[in-house]
Amino acid sequence: MKKRQEKLLKLIVKEYVKTADPISSQYLLEKYNLDICSATIRLDMAELTESGYLLKPHTSSGRIPTEKAYRFFIRKISEPKLSQNTEKKIEKIFEKKEKENVTHDLGRFLSSTSKNVSLLFFGEEATWQGLSLLFSQPEFYDLHEVLDFTRAFEDIFESLRMGVEMGFDDFFEDDEEEDHDVKVFIGRNNPFVRSDDLSLVFSNWDEGSIGILGPTRMDYLRNIALIKKAKDLLNRSF
């Protein structure tokens, strides 16, 4: 992939995650004042579409990222990083002494910051928070989408609960991200439920597991950074 196309792909992923609207060449040109003409942007977007990184919805002239684009974005382009303010807020949660209070507040913070569902497993406990925040996002304005997600969520939560109890070796056997500290399952790559519309950022810590579940259009870099930070603090605190 050309460097110019990498830059365009990064901008398209960033804007689509933020707006949930297909991104057009004209939108990129006007918002970022790019030093290339609109014809070149359209040509690059057409090549990215042909290569499987972008998809053109029937009802729009813009493009949206595919699972392949999100994987490329995570692995090749950007480094996960939290703002100093977010780092301070999550560290403050761990100033409390009782594990139950810490894990409850941590789950609430992860869901409110990501606008996705937080999942926490430790010992005999298995909790989730943030379903109402998730349903406030554009993907779930349609009732059928809400029902589909709810069914998938129940399957994922039960699979994860069983995985915590039995170990995750079977689930992760074919995972190409196996050696990574934080595992990212995008769309149908998710071993817990094969859905085009859901992604999971997940990691084990010393006494359990922690994750963020949301639509495929999630902010992967922020969620990866959140899980890394939460895992580090859990391991250091308990």
Side-chain angles (χ1 to χ4, degrees):
M1 183 186 299
K2 300 171 187 173
K3 288 295 181 185
R4 187 181 66 234
Q5 292 176 335
E6 284 191 14
K7 181 179 179 180
L8 286 175
L9 186 60
K10 179 180 179 180
L11 294 178
I12 291 169
V13 171
K14 177 183 175 183
E15 289 300 320
Y16 183 67
V17 165
K18 190 188 304 179
T19 66
D21 290 326
I23 307 301
S24 69
S25 58
Q26 190 64 30
Y27 177 90
L28 293 176
L29 194 63
E30 292 176 355
K31 177 157 186 175
Y32 290 99
N33 194 26
L34 299 173
D35 190 24
I36 48 179
C37 68
S38 59
T40 301
I41 297 175
R42 287 198 299 273
L43 180 60
D44 282 342
M45 290 176 70
E47 290 183 4
L48 288 169
T49 302
E50 189 173 343
S51 302
Y53 291 99
L54 297 177
L55 183 66
K56 184 179 182 304
H58 296 299
T59 56
S60 172
S61 60
R63 302 288 200 281
I64 64 175
T66 63
E67 294 179 14
K68 185 177 181 180
Y70 288 125
R71 291 193 185 94
F72 185 85
F73 181 66
I74 293 168
R75 293 174 184 167
K76 303 292 185 182
I77 296 181
S78 301
E79 288 294 326
K81 189 176 180 181
L82 295 176
S83 67
Q84 286 188 346
N85 187 44
T86 302
E87 293 252 0
K88 287 179 182 176
K89 285 182 178 178
I90 195 170
E91 288 169 357
K92 189 171 181 59
I93 293 171
F94 285 81
E95 292 176 1
K96 298 178 179 178
K97 301 300 182 186
E98 297 80 12
K99 183 191 292 187
E100 184 176 343
N101 291 338
V102 169
T103 53
H104 177 271
D105 289 356
L106 176 62
R108 185 169 57 185
F109 179 80
L110 293 178
S111 63
S112 64
T113 303
S114 67
K115 302 292 187 293
N116 295 157
V117 175
S118 67
L119 304 165
L120 267 167
F121 303 89
F122 54 98
E124 300 296 323
E125 299 290 329
T127 65
W128 56 266
Q129 296 186 63
L131 208 53
S132 61
L133 290 168
L134 182 69
F135 287 159
S136 69
Q137 298 193 45
E139 284 86 348
F140 303 103
Y141 290 168
D142 186 314
L143 179 59
H144 293 292
E145 296 294 334
V146 173
L147 293 174
D148 288 345
F149 177 87
T150 303
R151 295 188 191 99
F153 171 73
E154 291 172 349
D155 290 342
I156 286 180
F157 190 79
E158 182 60 19
S159 296
L160 285 169
R161 189 187 64 75
M162 291 175 60
V164 170
E165 292 177 355
M166 302 167 59
F168 286 105
D169 290 347
D170 290 341
F171 288 112
F172 296 154
E173 186 175 3
D174 298 325
D175 173 28
E176 55 189 10
E177 302 277 353
E178 188 174 3
D179 294 332
H180 291 199
D181 187 40
V182 175
K183 301 176 188 302
V184 182
F185 302 109
I186 301 172
R188 291 198 166 272
N189 187 43
N190 190 333
F192 304 102
V193 61
R194 305 295 179 184
S195 169
D196 291 327
D197 303 321
L198 296 175
S199 290
L200 174 68
V201 179
F202 188 80
S203 186
N204 292 322
W205 59 289
D206 291 347
E207 296 186 19
S209 302
I210 186 169
I212 293 175
L213 176 69
T216 308
R217 182 192 61 87
M218 69 160 56
D219 187 334
Y220 291 97
L221 300 187
R222 180 193 58 202
N223 290 352
I224 291 170
L226 282 171
I227 292 298
K228 281 187 173 180
K229 183 69 177 180
K231 174 182 178 176
D232 178 56
L233 289 169
L234 284 166
N235 284 338
R236 280 195 281 151
S237 301
F238 302 114

